[in-house]
Amino acid sequence: MRKRSADPAKIVPSDITPYQQYLSRRALIAGGLGFAAAQSIGGFAGVAFGQPAAALTYVRNGALSVADAPNSYTDITTYNNYYEFGTDKSDPSENAQKFRTRPWNVTIGGEAEVTGTFSLEDILQPHPLEERIYRLRCVEAWSMVVPWVGFPLGDLLKRFKPTSKAKFVEFKTLYDPKQMPGQRAAVLEWPYVEGLRIDEAMHPLTLMAVGLYGKVLPNQNGAPLRLIVPWKYGFKGIKAIVSIKFTEHAPRTTWAGSAANEYGFFANVNPAVDHPRWSQASERHIGANAFGRRQPTLPFNGYAAQVANLYNGMDLRKFF
Ligand code: MTE
């Protein structure tokens, strides 16, 4: 068997464990270890979810992780973009501490057989959790490496049986200006809206994150539920999701709606397509040990082998 490359640019589809196989492997492991392990399969058993930094039960998905060293917990939780809590990088960690993530509901709507409002527990309960170390490339030309804990978005979406008209998925953040001071100003159109094409949403790399560094997501990182699409600019990773809607047409997303010439719907990381106001050819890696280190930006953020085929025949300069 070929040895798997640690470089995500060199990972080929056959390196990635098919999800069903991964699940049955998990079941086998759990069976071998007996009751304690079997109980942990749900991931949420015994977790006081409203409490920040509560420990999660998860399995590391090495095949879908990059080999780069993750940034520190401090870097990841104090250098944030979350305009609902302010526009400075330090604002979210300072202003989001009292944000209430329980009780929490998610509304599922649009082109699907199963729709309605579901509690966070209903949404999360059936999904085993995995840790995946992903690169995060912000559109502002900085990057980090984050050990997320979550589950494949596609596994969640399938539960609602999208119809053949479901060509896109739209996500919305909570709108609550009382709790989110940033929403009292017209910095962006609120609530924050993001979207994916259905095949992007179903791609095995697309993650619904509920934690990082093995613990429940801190509020500033998007608790209780946020999206991660590692081959796209970070702004696709919408935080504090309260609505998921299957649509026939591409949703109007917040950033594309505010400046269509600067932020495209696809937002695939592409060093060859500059932002009109700055280059995307390289990025500054954030971190105490690497502050200011510039590195070249990789096509699709290093995930080209897994996702480039989603865009066959598309002019990526036009559909940026
Ligand atoms: N989601 C909401 N609701 N509001 C935001 O301002 N910022 C986005 C994205 N998700 C944002 C959001 C941007 S620009 C980035 S780079 C990532 O969140 C940052 O995620 P992190 O703070 O967990 O690193």
Side-chain angles (χ1 to χ4, degrees), residues 80-84 136 138 173 192 221 226 234-235 237 239:
N80 300 103
N81 274 339
Y82 198 172
Y83 280 14
E84 286 85 341
L136 169 75
C138 182
T173 295
Y192 196 99
N221 293 91
R226 62 91 54 94
F235 69 84
K239 298 177 172 181

Side-chain angles (χ1 to χ4, degrees), residues 72-310:
S72 69
Y73 188 78
T74 305
D75 289 343
I76 297 169
T77 58
T78 58
Y79 191 90
N80 300 103
N81 274 339
Y82 198 172
Y83 280 14
E84 286 85 341
F85 292 101
T87 52
D88 284 350
K89 298 288 178 262
S90 58
D91 286 342
S93 60
E94 287 166 17
N95 300 334
Q97 293 315 316
K98 289 190 187 145
F99 180 59
R100 287 187 306 275
T101 58
R102 277 297 168 95
W104 191 270
N105 291 325
V106 181
T107 301
I108 310 290
E111 304 292 347
E113 286 176 31
V114 183
T115 57
T117 298
F118 299 85
S119 71
L120 184 65
E121 291 73 13
D122 287 341
I123 294 283
L124 301 181
Q125 207 285 324
H127 298 286
L129 297 180
E130 307 174 17
E131 180 187 69
R132 297 180 178 189
I133 303 170
Y134 276 171
R135 293 195 176 125
L136 169 75
R137 170 57 157 84
C138 182
V139 74
E140 298 162 333
W142 52 263
S143 65
M144 286 201 208
V145 175
V146 184
W148 299 111
V149 178
F151 57 91
L153 173 68
D155 289 355
L156 175 67
L157 298 184
K158 280 178 211 147
R159 288 169 57 199
F160 307 107
K161 302 192 169 60
T163 69
S164 58
K165 279 187 171 170
K167 303 279 195 286
F168 294 87
V169 190
E170 179 205 75
F171 304 85
K172 283 186 185 160
T173 295
L174 179 71
Y175 178 69
D176 186 353
K178 281 205 182 104
Q179 287 204 79
M180 296 173 136
Q183 290 178 336
R184 293 175 217 154
V187 203
L188 284 177
E189 283 173 22
W190 309 112
Y192 196 99
V193 178
E194 256 310 333
L196 294 172
R197 216 170 55 187
I198 191 89
D199 57 338
E200 300 176 321
M202 294 292 179
H203 193 279
L205 281 174
T206 305
L207 197 70
M208 230 359 159
V210 297
L212 63 84
Y213 264 112
K215 297 175 194 163
V216 167
L217 274 180
N219 289 344
Q220 60 269 34
N221 293 91
L225 195 62
R226 62 91 54 94
L227 184 67
I228 300 292
V229 195
W231 69 95
K232 293 180 181 281
Y233 291 117
F235 69 84
K236 299 300 277 187
I238 181 170
K239 298 177 172 181
I241 296 168
V242 291
S243 162
I244 301 176
K245 188 175 174 189
F246 298 93
T247 63
E248 197 173 353
H249 303 287
R252 177 189 156 95
T253 57
T254 296
W255 284 103
S258 73
N261 61 327
E262 301 197 356
Y263 310 100
F265 175 80
F266 285 95
N268 292 319
V269 174
N270 190 343
V273 175
D274 287 339
H275 186 280
R277 291 181 281 135
W278 59 82
S279 165
Q280 295 291 22
S282 69
E283 62 210 40
R284 183 170 58 91
H285 192 72
I286 301 299
N289 301 329
F291 203 77
R293 185 182 91 206
R294 286 205 85 85
Q295 57 192 34
T297 289
L298 300 172
F300 298 103
N301 201 23
Y303 299 91
Q306 294 109 307
V307 300
N309 64 341
L310 296 179

